[in-house]
Amino acid sequence: MPDIECRIAESMVTQYINHSLSVDELEEFLDHISHCSSCYDELETYFIVHEAIQQLDEPEDGSALDFRKLLDQDIRKSRRYIRKKRWFHFLTGLLLAVFAVLLLIFVIFFITDIAHFL
C-alpha cells in the first residue's frame, strides 16, 4: 500500500480524532504516523488538546491522566478495529463465494434432473 504524504496525513489528524476516517484511510494514516515522527507529534498535540477539552466537560475525580498512554491505547484500538473490519469483509466474501458455488451446484443438478425427464 503506498504511503501517504505528510501534508495529507496532517489533514487527517482531526478526522482520526473524531473517528471519521474510512478503514482504508485509517490504515494509511496509522501506517504513516508509525514511521513519521513529525506527523505523530502533530497527532499527539491535537489528541492531547482534544482530550484535555473533553476532561473539562467531565467531573473531576482527582486523577492525573497520561495523555500519551491514552493516545497509544487509541492507536491500538484503531488497529484492532481495522483487523476486525478486514476479517469481516473476508468472511463476507467467503460466505458469498460458498453460497454462489452451492447455488451453481443446485442449478446444475436441477437442470440435469429436468433433462432426464425430457
Side-chain angles (χ1 to χ4, degrees):
M1 179 179 298
D3 192 20
I4 58 175
E5 297 176 13
C6 290
R7 175 181 57 80
I8 295 171
E10 289 170 358
S11 73
M12 298 168 89
V13 167
T14 304
Q15 291 174 296
Y16 171 81
I17 291 171
N18 293 327
H19 303 290
S20 59
L21 294 172
S22 71
V23 174
D24 290 335
E25 291 170 331
L26 180 60
E27 187 171 33
E28 288 178 348
F29 177 76
L30 292 176
D31 288 345
H32 181 82
I33 64 159
S34 71
H35 70 269
C36 179
S37 62
S38 176
C39 290
Y40 181 86
D41 291 345
E42 181 89 4
L43 171 61
E44 185 178 54
T45 301
Y46 277 87
F47 186 84
I48 289 170
V49 169
H50 179 265
E51 287 298 314
I53 291 171
Q54 295 291 98
Q55 293 304 310
L56 292 175
D57 293 338
E58 296 178 7
E60 274 191 52
D61 64 358
S63 64
L65 292 175
D66 182 350
F67 292 113
R68 286 189 175 106
K69 183 177 177 183
L70 288 175
L71 177 57
D72 288 341
Q73 289 172 348
D74 194 71
I75 290 171
R76 282 194 303 276
K77 181 180 168 186
S78 295
R79 292 263 185 217
R80 282 192 304 273
Y81 172 77
I82 291 168
R83 281 192 302 273
K84 286 179 184 178
K85 282 293 199 181
R86 298 279 185 228
W87 184 243
F88 177 76
H89 287 190
F90 169 75
L91 287 178
T92 302
L94 181 63
L95 288 174
L96 286 174
V98 168
F99 178 74
V101 168
L102 291 174
L103 184 61
L104 182 62
I105 291 170
F106 175 76
V107 168
I108 289 171
F109 281 122
F110 184 72
I111 291 173
T112 305
D113 283 345
I114 290 177
H116 286 191
F117 288 114
L118 298 178

